[in-house]
Amino acid sequence: MEIPLFKIYSDEMDLEAVANVLKSGMRWAIGSSVPEFEKQISEYIEIKYCSVFNSGTSALHALMLAYDFHRGEEIIVPSFTFISTANAPLFVNAKPVLADIELKSLGLDPNDVLEKITSKTKAIIPVHYGGCPAQISALKEIAEDHNLVLIEDAAESFGTTINGKMTGTFGESSMLSFCQNKIITTGEGGAIVTDSKDIHDKLILIRSHGRLEDKDYFTSAISGDYVSLGYNFRLSNIKAALGLAQIAKVEDIISRREKVANYYIERLKNNKEIILPFNPPNARHVFQLFSIRIKHGYRDELINFLKKRGIMSKVYFSPVHLTHFYKIVLGYNIQLPNTESVSNDILSLPIYPTMTEEEQNYVIDSLKRFFEIKTSGEHG
């Protein structure tokens, strides 16, 4: 078998949505699908405002600008994350302060966050790892107590809930990602959701050259006024149309992912060589990733073993503070014990909505065979 790490879930609705925009002959960049996609996201998450961007990274960059973070200010972020979370403060010359994670949700450790707060701290950006909610209530309380901005990186948790409340609605603003391996996808894409009209209005200017969006630039005889510095961070109408088709089936997609994850958990729960992903009883984990932890230092051997059997696996994530850029170029010299421990043994297994029991059994049986070889002293 050849089993990839993920497969995009798509159907005829996606093809038709994109085709309709293409057939329009002109509304490929700006069009009605963009505000409609934003409306659908806002309604699904139950938040007032949504602005879509061409990537989650662009969305975070714009948000740093909207809050006017700048040189001399500090923003607490996890080192256990995709690097754009940590890089976002650098985009505006602020300093990312890298904090450790706790070992259940693999999100920011509230206790370590408290240790990292200084008079220069302006914001906290927790990540909901792999679709599992971080300890967001505790982090929200810390942010409120210290008058800090709480920004959720909900790139991996679209549809995740805590006591029925969506991730993305706990922070003052939150970032979503629609990259190809996320819960719903536009290929590349992202969004910021917020209840702040002020932040939303700033984001709309930032994403499109600082231009007032009171008319369609490509169909109006008047180009419109430019009132601030901005970028071209827009999501195209083509991709927004695809996003509309995707969000229409988001609950089906999540249900399918939950089914695959639950099958893994049931078949692997008695395996003493691995630690299964934490699944909070008061939350809905959407399993954007299915990440297990491998005991006894066998992780890298297992990656190669699975690869030989045609099974893709991947390490999400290596510590940001140990990358060449942060350690050598920026001179970060810190120790984050939980982050380093988890990053040494974490491994994401294949998971996608259309994954069959036959495919899962092949992955599970391959894991079983690997550990049989390791414990018996056989050669693989």
Side-chain angles (χ1 to χ4, degrees), residues 49-326:
Y49 303 105
C50 173
S51 49
V52 292
F53 290 81
N54 56 18
S55 73
T57 302
S58 296
L60 271 180
H61 187 171
L63 194 58
M64 298 297 99
L65 293 164
Y67 278 106
D68 193 29
F69 298 135
H70 51 266
R71 190 181 302 278
E73 297 182 334
E74 297 176 349
I75 298 175
I76 298 173
V77 300
S79 181
F80 187 69
T81 183
F82 183 62
I83 200 164
S84 67
T85 315
N87 282 350
L90 295 174
F91 297 156
V92 293
N93 296 310
K95 180 183 179 181
V97 174
L98 302 173
D100 213 349
I101 57 172
E102 42 82 17
L103 296 176
K104 283 191 173 181
S105 74
L106 307 185
L108 274 177
D109 180 353
N111 293 321
D112 197 50
V113 168
L114 279 170
E115 293 290 324
K116 297 295 196 305
I117 293 173
T118 72
S119 60
K120 298 178 180 179
T121 307
K122 297 298 178 182
I124 306 170
I125 309 181
V127 172
H128 300 290
Y129 175 78
C132 179
Q135 292 187 13
I136 195 65
S137 295
L139 293 165
K140 183 178 177 68
E141 185 176 343
I142 290 170
E144 290 173 347
D145 288 347
H146 291 81
N147 196 29
L148 304 175
V149 178
L150 181 66
I151 295 169
E152 291 176 79
D153 182 331
E156 300 170 10
S157 66
F158 192 74
T160 294
T161 60
I162 309 166
N163 293 321
K165 182 177 171 68
M166 289 273 183
T167 56
T169 62
F170 292 84
E172 290 188 27
S173 297
S174 303
M175 183 272 285
L176 312 174
S177 172
F178 308 122
C179 192
Q180 64 177 357
N181 62 337
K182 299 304 191 291
I183 299 300
I184 64 169
T185 180
T186 55
E188 286 279 11
I192 298 295
V193 291
T194 183
D195 279 327
S196 169
K197 185 177 187 303
D198 177 59
I199 292 298
H200 177 69
D201 289 347
K202 289 177 180 178
L203 291 169
I204 296 301
L205 289 173
I206 291 165
R207 76 175 177 185
S208 192
H209 306 286
R211 183 174 60 231
L212 291 173
E213 291 195 353
D214 52 355
K215 54 184 67 66
D216 185 333
Y217 177 83
F218 294 103
T219 60
S220 173
I222 301 171
S223 65
D225 196 11
Y226 296 85
V227 298
S228 68
L229 180 66
Y231 300 78
N232 186 353
F233 286 163
R234 295 190 306 267
L235 184 75
S236 74
N237 200 44
I238 297 172
K239 290 184 176 181
L242 179 57
L244 283 168
Q246 287 274 299
I247 201 171
K249 47 184 172 274
V250 62
E251 287 299 314
D252 181 42
I253 290 171
I254 291 171
S255 294
R256 288 168 176 264
R257 298 185 81 93
E258 288 176 314
K259 182 179 178 182
V260 173
N262 289 335
Y263 189 78
Y264 267 138
I265 291 167
E266 182 61 29
R267 288 287 317 275
L268 293 172
K269 67 183 180 181
N270 295 321
N271 191 317
K272 306 300 183 184
E273 304 297 324
I274 65 176
I275 300 171
L276 290 170
F278 178 58
N279 194 1
N282 63 333
R284 177 169 75 168
H285 190 324
V286 296
F287 292 100
Q288 189 266 328
L289 299 174
F290 191 89
S291 296
I292 61 175
R293 296 177 61 195
I294 313 301
K295 298 179 181 179
H296 310 302
Y298 294 152
R299 196 270 310 278
D300 292 349
E301 290 181 66
L302 177 57
I303 292 173
N304 291 326
F305 182 85
L306 294 176
K307 184 178 180 181
K308 290 176 182 177
R309 291 186 164 221
I311 300 168
M312 173 68 174
S313 60
K314 192 174 180 71
V315 176
Y316 286 116
F317 295 99
S318 298
V320 169
H321 70 281
L322 297 182
T323 61
H324 176 89
F325 180 59
Y326 275 78

Side-chain angles (χ1 to χ4, degrees), residues 38-52:
E38 292 171 333
K39 178 174 177 287
Q40 292 293 326
I41 293 168
S42 295
E43 291 179 353
Y44 179 72
I45 293 180
E46 297 184 345
I47 201 163
K48 288 182 181 178
Y49 303 105
C50 173
S51 49
V52 292

